Every structure is written in C-alpha cells, then in structure tokens.
Amino acid sequence: EAGVAQSPRYKIIEKRQSVAFWCNPISGHATLYWYQQILGQGPKLLIQFQNNGVVDDSQLPKDRFSAERLKGVDSTLKIQPAKLEDSAVYLCASSANQAGGTDTQYFGPGTRLTVL
Amino acid sequence: AQSVTQLGSHVSVSEGALVLLRCNYSSSVPPYLFWYVQYPNQGLQLLLKYTSAATLVKGINGFEAEFKKSETSFHLTKPSAHMSDAAEYFCAVSVTNAGKSTFGDGTTLTVKP
C-alpha cells in the first residue's frame, strides 16, 4: 500500500512570495489533515477535510493560508503572501475514518519551507 | 480543550538501558492517546494508541505505554534501548474517534553506545 505522498520536499522562498504544497493521501482515505510543525514544537493542525468538505479550519490563518481538496482526493495548501514565521515543516496526513475504533492517521514525509 | 505536556525535551540513555519518556495530558472527556516517532526528515509514524480498552498498550519496536487516569499520564517505555531508537517522540491526545490530535512538543531520545 502506497503511503501519503507530498511534494515538494523542500522549498525556499522570500517573504511576501506565494507557495503551494501538494498532498496525495492513501487511496480510499476519506479524511485528510494538514499540520504545521515549527522547529522544536509538535505538529499543529491547520485544516481537516472529510472527503472534499472542511471539518475544522479553526487554526488556519485565513488571511494568508488557503487549502482545497477537489474531488475528495488530492489536496493543496497555499500561502500567499508568506511571512518569516511561516518557516516550518508542513505535514499531510490521512485516515480511513472507519466507524468504530480509533482512526489512525498516516503521515507523509512533509514539506520543509524556509522563508527568507 | 485538550492538551499534552511532555516532560523533558531531551532524554539520553545508554544502549541496553530502560527508556522512559513522560507524557501528561489534560482532557475534559475520556481521551484517545497516541505515541508517534519521527526520524529525521521523515513524517510521523504511530507507535501505539490507547482507545479505552486495556490500560497497558503494546506497540511496535518493543515499546509500550500505560494509561493512568489518576495521574493523567501516558508514559512510554522500552526495557532495553537500541541505537535505532534514537529519534524524536511525540505524545498526542484526541477526544473523538476521527478528530484532530493535539500534540506535545516532543522529546528527543539519544542512545549512547
């Protein structure tokens, strides 16, 4: 079974530029998550999708961050314009969201963003 | 709201020694608890999870954790450390079956030969 794929793996941009990250979840997984992991901290949820609908985006800085999951499969996360404090690893995770039991999240390798 | 505190941002043990990584949680409802491991430049991998069944949870790579409600703790242990265990470990809490997880800030485990 293929894991969660993310691209690019690394990105360096200057502040005020825009950037986009792509995530392809595990096939058949209904739920997709984007996390931001700042150096020295644990991951923080930015947005959660259930199929192509948003379940939770309470911690997404909506003035500069946007995300979409068209057709309930792949997802993109965009930052426009980027700030220095956006430097972090952006992790995508997916889960099957099976009824009953606990829903295990499977994480991709992440995209490391450096904003100069 | 739920939260997680991992005591000790860095833990160093000798190869073959006991590994103990501490996690305390706060939750207003019965929690789901997780331990993840993250190797450099990789995503998080689930080690084990507590889902209100047995309080002693066994995971992969010889790790286990015990849920103690009275202490609001979910400490991770391994009887004998291996060099390959060197990584960063995250404790996380969730209050729903399919909801978001709140993570601690992580503990970096170093294993000395």
Side-chain angles (χ1 to χ4, degrees):
Chain A
E1 177 181 75
V4 177
Q6 291 187 247
S7 67
R9 291 295 312 277
Y10 305 91
K11 190 73 176 179
I12 301 174
I13 62 172
E14 295 187 350
K15 60 182 179 182
R16 291 187 289 274
Q17 286 187 323
S18 63
V19 64
F21 312 127
W22 173 81
C23 172
N24 182 232
I26 292 174
S27 178
H29 278 194
T31 306
L32 186 146
Y33 312 79
W34 281 103
Y35 289 87
Q36 179 191 58
Q37 185 178 17
I38 293 173
L39 185 65
Q41 299 180 20
K44 182 186 78 173
L45 181 75
L46 293 175
I47 189 167
Q48 176 185 348
F49 291 96
Q50 177 77 16
N51 296 309
N52 60 351
V54 175
V55 174
D56 186 341
D57 63 356
S58 58
Q59 298 194 84
L60 185 74
K62 298 180 184 64
D63 58 333
R64 297 184 301 106
F65 285 65
S66 64
E68 61 181 9
R69 189 183 184 198
L70 299 176
K71 301 180 182 179
V73 182
D74 294 5
S75 177
T76 55
L77 176 69
K78 297 179 181 178
I79 308 175
Q80 182 179 9
K83 294 184 176 181
L84 296 178
E85 58 261 37
D86 298 332
S87 294
V89 175
Y90 291 85
L91 294 167
C92 179
S94 70
S95 65
N97 193 23
Q98 297 169 339
T102 306
D103 208 18
T104 298
Q105 295 182 38
Y106 296 86
F107 285 81
T111 296
R112 183 178 299 275
L113 174 67
T114 302
V115 182
L116 302 175
Chain B
Q2 65 269 26
S3 65
V4 168
T5 301
Q6 291 186 239
L7 301 175
S9 58
H10 291 85
V11 170
S12 181
V13 301
S14 297
E15 190 173 20
L18 172 71
V19 175
L20 171 60
L21 304 182
R22 300 178 186 274
C23 172
N24 287 89
Y25 69 91
S26 173
S27 176
S28 57
V29 299
Y32 298 94
L33 294 160
F34 309 83
W35 274 101
Y36 291 87
V37 61
Q38 186 177 35
Y39 297 100
N41 298 315
Q42 295 187 27
L44 281 72
Q45 179 184 7
L46 181 68
L47 279 176
L48 50 81
K49 59 186 178 184
Y50 167 75
T51 61
S52 75
T55 57
L56 182 63
V57 182
K58 295 186 183 299
I60 61 172
N61 302 339
F63 285 94
E64 63 181 37
E66 186 173 8
F67 173 70
K68 292 186 176 181
K69 183 178 179 180
S70 61
E71 299 178 7
T72 60
S73 68
F74 191 57
H75 301 331
L76 182 71
T77 60
K78 182 174 180 177
S80 176
H82 192 270
M83 296 297 290
S84 61
D85 294 328
E88 189 157 21
Y89 292 79
F90 292 93
C91 182
V93 62
S94 177
V95 297
T96 65
N97 185 10
K100 67 181 182 182
S101 291
T102 299
F103 288 81
D105 286 337
T107 297
T108 300
L109 175 65
T110 301
V111 182
K112 299 175 293 185

Short mmCIF file of all heavy atoms in Angstrom, two decimals, chain B residues 11-59:
data_model
loop_
_atom_site.label_atom_id
_atom_site.label_comp_id
_atom_site.label_asym_id
_atom_site.label_seq_id
_atom_site.Cartn_x
_atom_site.Cartn_y
_atom_site.Cartn_z
N VAL B 11 16.14 13.36 26.22
CA VAL B 11 16.43 12.24 27.10
C VAL B 11 17.59 11.46 26.47
O VAL B 11 17.57 11.17 25.27
CB VAL B 11 15.21 11.33 27.29
CG1 VAL B 11 15.61 10.05 28.01
CG2 VAL B 11 14.11 12.06 28.06
N SER B 12 18.57 11.13 27.30
CA SER B 12 19.72 10.38 26.82
C SER B 12 19.87 9.12 27.65
O SER B 12 19.83 9.18 28.89
CB SER B 12 20.99 11.22 26.93
OG SER B 12 22.12 10.50 26.46
N VAL B 13 19.99 7.98 26.99
CA VAL B 13 20.17 6.71 27.68
C VAL B 13 21.30 5.94 27.01
O VAL B 13 21.65 6.20 25.85
CB VAL B 13 18.89 5.86 27.67
CG1 VAL B 13 17.74 6.60 28.34
CG2 VAL B 13 18.51 5.45 26.26
N SER B 14 21.83 4.98 27.71
CA SER B 14 22.84 4.10 27.14
C SER B 14 22.15 2.94 26.43
O SER B 14 21.03 2.55 26.80
CB SER B 14 23.77 3.56 28.22
OG SER B 14 24.49 4.61 28.83
N GLU B 15 22.78 2.41 25.44
CA GLU B 15 22.24 1.25 24.74
C GLU B 15 22.03 0.12 25.75
O GLU B 15 22.90 -0.17 26.57
CB GLU B 15 23.19 0.81 23.64
CG GLU B 15 22.63 -0.22 22.70
CD GLU B 15 23.53 -0.51 21.52
OE1 GLU B 15 24.74 -0.21 21.62
OE2 GLU B 15 23.05 -1.03 20.51
N GLY B 16 20.85 -0.50 25.70
CA GLY B 16 20.51 -1.56 26.63
C GLY B 16 19.81 -1.09 27.88
O GLY B 16 19.27 -1.90 28.64
N ALA B 17 19.78 0.21 28.12
CA ALA B 17 19.13 0.75 29.31
C ALA B 17 17.64 0.95 29.07
O ALA B 17 17.16 0.97 27.93
CB ALA B 17 19.78 2.07 29.72
N LEU B 18 16.91 1.15 30.16
CA LEU B 18 15.47 1.41 30.10
C LEU B 18 15.22 2.79 29.48
O LEU B 18 15.88 3.77 29.79
CB LEU B 18 14.88 1.38 31.50
CG LEU B 18 13.44 1.83 31.65
CD1 LEU B 18 12.49 0.81 31.04
CD2 LEU B 18 13.10 2.08 33.12
N VAL B 19 14.22 2.82 28.61
CA VAL B 19 13.76 4.08 28.05
C VAL B 19 12.45 4.47 28.73
O VAL B 19 11.53 3.65 28.82
CB VAL B 19 13.51 3.97 26.53
CG1 VAL B 19 12.91 5.27 25.99
CG2 VAL B 19 14.80 3.63 25.81
N LEU B 20 12.38 5.70 29.22
CA LEU B 20 11.15 6.22 29.83
C LEU B 20 10.94 7.63 29.32
O LEU B 20 11.73 8.53 29.60
CB LEU B 20 11.24 6.23 31.35
CG LEU B 20 10.10 6.94 32.09
CD1 LEU B 20 8.75 6.29 31.79
CD2 LEU B 20 10.37 6.97 33.60
N LEU B 21 9.86 7.82 28.55
CA LEU B 21 9.50 9.14 28.04
C LEU B 21 8.15 9.50 28.65
O LEU B 21 7.20 8.74 28.55
CB LEU B 21 9.42 9.13 26.52
CG LEU B 21 10.68 8.66 25.79
CD1 LEU B 21 10.47 8.75 24.28
CD2 LEU B 21 11.90 9.45 26.20
N ARG B 22 8.10 10.69 29.25
CA ARG B 22 6.93 11.06 30.04
C ARG B 22 5.93 11.92 29.27
O ARG B 22 6.33 12.82 28.52
CB ARG B 22 7.38 11.80 31.30
CG ARG B 22 8.30 10.98 32.19
CD ARG B 22 8.76 11.77 33.40
NE ARG B 22 9.76 11.04 34.17
CZ ARG B 22 9.47 10.15 35.11
NH1 ARG B 22 8.21 9.91 35.42
NH2 ARG B 22 10.44 9.55 35.75
N CYS B 23 4.66 11.63 29.50
CA CYS B 23 3.58 12.38 28.86
C CYS B 23 2.44 12.52 29.85
O CYS B 23 1.97 11.53 30.41
CB CYS B 23 3.10 11.66 27.60
SG CYS B 23 1.61 12.38 26.86
N ASN B 24 2.01 13.74 30.07
CA ASN B 24 0.81 14.01 30.85
C ASN B 24 -0.19 14.75 29.97
O ASN B 24 0.19 15.59 29.16
CB ASN B 24 1.14 14.85 32.09
CG ASN B 24 1.86 14.04 33.14
OD1 ASN B 24 3.09 13.97 33.13
ND2 ASN B 24 1.10 13.40 34.00
N TYR B 25 -1.45 14.43 30.15
CA TYR B 25 -2.47 15.00 29.28
C TYR B 25 -3.53 15.71 30.12
O TYR B 25 -3.66 15.49 31.32
CB TYR B 25 -3.14 13.92 28.44
CG TYR B 25 -4.00 12.99 29.25
CD1 TYR B 25 -5.36 13.24 29.46
CD2 TYR B 25 -3.45 11.86 29.85
CE1 TYR B 25 -6.13 12.41 30.24
CE2 TYR B 25 -4.22 11.02 30.64
CZ TYR B 25 -5.56 11.30 30.83
OH TYR B 25 -6.33 10.47 31.61
N SER B 26 -4.28 16.55 29.45
CA SER B 26 -5.43 17.20 30.05
C SER B 26 -6.58 17.06 29.06
O SER B 26 -6.44 17.37 27.88
CB SER B 26 -5.15 18.68 30.31
OG SER B 26 -6.32 19.34 30.73
N SER B 27 -7.70 16.56 29.57
CA SER B 27 -8.86 16.37 28.70
C SER B 27 -10.12 16.37 29.54
O SER B 27 -10.16 15.77 30.61
CB SER B 27 -8.74 15.06 27.93
OG SER B 27 -9.90 14.83 27.16
N SER B 28 -11.15 17.00 29.04
CA SER B 28 -12.41 17.08 29.78
C SER B 28 -13.28 15.84 29.56
O SER B 28 -14.27 15.65 30.26
CB SER B 28 -13.18 18.33 29.35
OG SER B 28 -13.40 18.32 27.95
N VAL B 29 -12.92 15.03 28.60
CA VAL B 29 -13.65 13.80 28.31
C VAL B 29 -12.63 12.67 28.20
O VAL B 29 -11.43 12.92 28.05
CB VAL B 29 -14.47 13.92 27.01
CG1 VAL B 29 -15.50 15.03 27.14
CG2 VAL B 29 -13.55 14.16 25.83
N PRO B 30 -13.09 11.42 28.29
CA PRO B 30 -12.14 10.31 28.14
C PRO B 30 -11.36 10.43 26.85
O PRO B 30 -11.95 10.58 25.77
CB PRO B 30 -13.06 9.09 28.14
CG PRO B 30 -14.23 9.52 28.96
CD PRO B 30 -14.43 10.96 28.64
N PRO B 31 -10.05 10.39 26.95
CA PRO B 31 -9.23 10.67 25.77
C PRO B 31 -8.83 9.43 24.99
O PRO B 31 -8.86 8.32 25.49
CB PRO B 31 -7.99 11.30 26.39
CG PRO B 31 -7.83 10.53 27.68
CD PRO B 31 -9.23 10.24 28.15
N TYR B 32 -8.45 9.67 23.75
CA TYR B 32 -7.66 8.73 22.99
C TYR B 32 -6.22 9.27 23.04
O TYR B 32 -6.00 10.46 22.87
CB TYR B 32 -8.11 8.66 21.53
CG TYR B 32 -9.52 8.17 21.35
CD1 TYR B 32 -10.58 9.08 21.26
CD2 TYR B 32 -9.82 6.82 21.26
CE1 TYR B 32 -11.88 8.65 21.08
CE2 TYR B 32 -11.12 6.38 21.09
CZ TYR B 32 -12.14 7.30 21.01
OH TYR B 32 -13.43 6.87 20.85
N LEU B 33 -5.26 8.40 23.27
CA LEU B 33 -3.87 8.83 23.44
C LEU B 33 -2.96 8.08 22.48
O LEU B 33 -3.18 6.90 22.20
CB LEU B 33 -3.41 8.61 24.88
CG LEU B 33 -4.12 9.48 25.91
CD1 LEU B 33 -3.97 8.89 27.30
CD2 LEU B 33 -3.57 10.90 25.88
N PHE B 34 -1.96 8.77 22.00
CA PHE B 34 -1.09 8.22 20.97
C PHE B 34 0.38 8.56 21.29
O PHE B 34 0.66 9.60 21.89
CB PHE B 34 -1.41 8.82 19.60
CG PHE B 34 -2.85 8.76 19.21
CD1 PHE B 34 -3.75 9.72 19.66
CD2 PHE B 34 -3.32 7.75 18.38
CE1 PHE B 34 -5.09 9.68 19.30
CE2 PHE B 34 -4.66 7.70 18.02
CZ PHE B 34 -5.54 8.66 18.48
N TRP B 35 1.26 7.69 20.84
CA TRP B 35 2.68 7.99 20.77
C TRP B 35 3.12 7.78 19.32
O TRP B 35 2.81 6.76 18.70
CB TRP B 35 3.51 7.08 21.67
CG TRP B 35 3.62 7.56 23.09
CD1 TRP B 35 2.91 7.13 24.18
CD2 TRP B 35 4.51 8.58 23.58
NE1 TRP B 35 3.31 7.79 25.31
CE2 TRP B 35 4.29 8.69 24.97
CE3 TRP B 35 5.49 9.38 22.99
CZ2 TRP B 35 5.01 9.58 25.78
CZ3 TRP B 35 6.19 10.26 23.79
CH2 TRP B 35 5.95 10.36 25.17
N TYR B 36 3.85 8.80 18.82
CA TYR B 36 4.42 8.75 17.49
C TYR B 36 5.94 8.88 17.58
O TYR B 36 6.47 9.53 18.49
CB TYR B 36 3.91 9.90 16.62
CG TYR B 36 2.45 9.84 16.25
CD1 TYR B 36 1.47 10.37 17.09
CD2 TYR B 36 2.04 9.29 15.04
CE1 TYR B 36 0.13 10.34 16.73
CE2 TYR B 36 0.70 9.26 14.67
CZ TYR B 36 -0.24 9.79 15.53
OH TYR B 36 -1.56 9.76 15.17
N VAL B 37 6.61 8.33 16.57
CA VAL B 37 8.06 8.51 16.44
C VAL B 37 8.34 9.22 15.12
O VAL B 37 7.64 8.98 14.12
CB VAL B 37 8.81 7.17 16.52
CG1 VAL B 37 8.40 6.23 15.40
CG2 VAL B 37 10.33 7.39 16.47
N GLN B 38 9.31 10.12 15.14
CA GLN B 38 9.69 10.84 13.93
C GLN B 38 11.20 10.77 13.76
O GLN B 38 11.95 11.28 14.59
CB GLN B 38 9.23 12.30 14.00
CG GLN B 38 9.46 13.07 12.71
CD GLN B 38 8.92 14.49 12.78
OE1 GLN B 38 8.95 15.14 13.82
NE2 GLN B 38 8.42 15.00 11.66
N TYR B 39 11.63 10.15 12.68
CA TYR B 39 13.04 10.10 12.33
C TYR B 39 13.38 11.33 11.48
O TYR B 39 12.49 11.91 10.84
CB TYR B 39 13.37 8.81 11.60
CG TYR B 39 13.13 7.58 12.45
CD1 TYR B 39 11.98 6.81 12.30
CD2 TYR B 39 14.04 7.20 13.44
CE1 TYR B 39 11.74 5.70 13.09
CE2 TYR B 39 13.81 6.09 14.24
CZ TYR B 39 12.67 5.35 14.06
OH TYR B 39 12.43 4.26 14.86
N PRO B 40 14.63 11.74 11.43
CA PRO B 40 14.99 12.94 10.68
C PRO B 40 14.48 12.93 9.24
O PRO B 40 14.61 11.92 8.55
CB PRO B 40 16.53 12.92 10.74
CG PRO B 40 16.83 12.20 12.01
CD PRO B 40 15.77 11.14 12.13
N ASN B 41 13.88 14.04 8.87
CA ASN B 41 13.38 14.25 7.51
C ASN B 41 12.31 13.24 7.10
O ASN B 41 12.14 12.96 5.91
CB ASN B 41 14.54 14.20 6.50
CG ASN B 41 15.55 15.29 6.76
OD1 ASN B 41 15.18 16.44 7.00
ND2 ASN B 41 16.82 14.94 6.75
N GLN B 42 11.61 12.72 8.08
CA GLN B 42 10.51 11.81 7.79
C GLN B 42 9.25 12.28 8.51
O GLN B 42 9.30 13.11 9.42
CB GLN B 42 10.86 10.38 8.23
CG GLN B 42 12.01 9.76 7.46
CD GLN B 42 12.20 8.31 7.81
OE1 GLN B 42 11.27 7.61 8.21
NE2 GLN B 42 13.43 7.83 7.66
N GLY B 43 8.14 11.73 8.10
CA GLY B 43 6.88 12.03 8.78
C GLY B 43 6.75 11.25 10.06
O GLY B 43 7.64 10.49 10.44
N LEU B 44 5.66 11.42 10.74
CA LEU B 44 5.41 10.72 12.00
C LEU B 44 4.89 9.31 11.74
O LEU B 44 4.09 9.09 10.83
CB LEU B 44 4.38 11.48 12.84
CG LEU B 44 4.89 12.70 13.61
CD1 LEU B 44 5.19 13.85 12.69
CD2 LEU B 44 3.87 13.10 14.66
N GLN B 45 5.33 8.39 12.58
CA GLN B 45 4.88 7.01 12.50
C GLN B 45 4.24 6.62 13.82
O GLN B 45 4.83 6.86 14.88
CB GLN B 45 6.05 6.08 12.19
CG GLN B 45 5.68 4.62 12.10
CD GLN B 45 6.88 3.72 11.88
OE1 GLN B 45 8.03 4.16 11.91
NE2 GLN B 45 6.63 2.44 11.67
N LEU B 46 3.07 6.03 13.78
CA LEU B 46 2.38 5.65 15.00
C LEU B 46 3.09 4.50 15.68
O LEU B 46 3.35 3.46 15.07
CB LEU B 46 0.93 5.26 14.68
CG LEU B 46 0.06 4.87 15.87
CD1 LEU B 46 -0.20 6.09 16.76
CD2 LEU B 46 -1.25 4.27 15.39
N LEU B 47 3.41 4.68 16.97
CA LEU B 47 4.00 3.61 17.77
C LEU B 47 2.91 2.78 18.46
O LEU B 47 2.97 1.55 18.47
CB LEU B 47 4.90 4.19 18.86
CG LEU B 47 6.31 4.62 18.50
CD1 LEU B 47 6.97 5.25 19.71
CD2 LEU B 47 7.13 3.45 17.99
N LEU B 48 1.97 3.47 19.08
CA LEU B 48 0.88 2.80 19.78
C LEU B 48 -0.22 3.80 20.07
O LEU B 48 -0.02 5.01 19.98
CB LEU B 48 1.40 2.16 21.08
CG LEU B 48 2.22 3.02 22.03
CD1 LEU B 48 1.36 3.91 22.90
CD2 LEU B 48 3.12 2.14 22.91
N LYS B 49 -1.38 3.26 20.45
CA LYS B 49 -2.51 4.12 20.77
C LYS B 49 -3.36 3.49 21.87
O LYS B 49 -3.48 2.27 21.97
CB LYS B 49 -3.37 4.38 19.54
CG LYS B 49 -3.95 3.12 18.90
CD LYS B 49 -4.67 3.45 17.61
CE LYS B 49 -5.22 2.18 16.94
NZ LYS B 49 -5.84 2.47 15.62
N TYR B 50 -3.94 4.34 22.70
CA TYR B 50 -4.85 3.92 23.76
C TYR B 50 -6.27 4.31 23.36
O TYR B 50 -6.53 5.47 23.02
CB TYR B 50 -4.48 4.60 25.08
CG TYR B 50 -5.56 4.46 26.12
CD1 TYR B 50 -5.75 3.25 26.79
CD2 TYR B 50 -6.40 5.52 26.43
CE1 TYR B 50 -6.75 3.12 27.73
CE2 TYR B 50 -7.40 5.39 27.37
CZ TYR B 50 -7.58 4.19 28.02
OH TYR B 50 -8.57 4.05 28.95
N THR B 51 -7.17 3.31 23.44
CA THR B 51 -8.54 3.56 22.99
C THR B 51 -9.56 3.10 24.02
O THR B 51 -10.65 2.68 23.67
CB THR B 51 -8.81 2.84 21.67
OG1 THR B 51 -8.64 1.42 21.89
CG2 THR B 51 -7.87 3.29 20.59
N SER B 52 -9.21 3.16 25.29
CA SER B 52 -10.08 2.82 26.42
C SER B 52 -10.29 1.33 26.60
O SER B 52 -11.18 0.92 27.33
CB SER B 52 -11.44 3.52 26.32
OG SER B 52 -12.25 2.91 25.35
N ALA B 53 -9.50 0.53 25.96
CA ALA B 53 -9.54 -0.92 26.20
C ALA B 53 -8.54 -1.22 27.32
O ALA B 53 -8.69 -0.72 28.41
CB ALA B 53 -9.23 -1.68 24.93
N ALA B 54 -7.53 -1.98 27.08
CA ALA B 54 -6.53 -2.29 28.10
C ALA B 54 -5.71 -1.05 28.44
O ALA B 54 -5.37 -0.26 27.56
CB ALA B 54 -5.61 -3.40 27.61
N THR B 55 -5.40 -0.89 29.72
CA THR B 55 -4.62 0.30 30.12
C THR B 55 -3.15 0.17 29.75
O THR B 55 -2.47 1.18 29.62
CB THR B 55 -4.75 0.54 31.63
OG1 THR B 55 -4.32 -0.64 32.33
CG2 THR B 55 -6.18 0.86 32.01
N LEU B 56 -2.66 -1.04 29.61
CA LEU B 56 -1.28 -1.25 29.16
C LEU B 56 -1.32 -1.55 27.67
O LEU B 56 -1.91 -2.55 27.24
CB LEU B 56 -0.62 -2.39 29.93
CG LEU B 56 0.85 -2.66 29.57
CD1 LEU B 56 1.71 -1.45 29.89
CD2 LEU B 56 1.35 -3.90 30.31
N VAL B 57 -0.72 -0.68 26.91
CA VAL B 57 -0.78 -0.78 25.45
C VAL B 57 0.59 -1.15 24.90
O VAL B 57 1.59 -0.51 25.24
CB VAL B 57 -1.23 0.56 24.83
CG1 VAL B 57 -1.34 0.42 23.32
CG2 VAL B 57 -2.55 1.01 25.42
N LYS B 58 0.61 -2.17 24.09
CA LYS B 58 1.86 -2.58 23.46
C LYS B 58 1.90 -2.08 22.03
O LYS B 58 0.89 -2.13 21.31
CB LYS B 58 2.01 -4.10 23.51
CG LYS B 58 2.14 -4.64 24.94
CD LYS B 58 2.43 -6.12 24.95
CE LYS B 58 2.50 -6.65 26.38
NZ LYS B 58 3.57 -6.02 27.17
N GLY B 59 3.07 -1.58 21.63
CA GLY B 59 3.21 -1.05 20.29
C GLY B 59 4.30 -1.74 19.51
O GLY B 59 4.74 -2.82 19.86
#
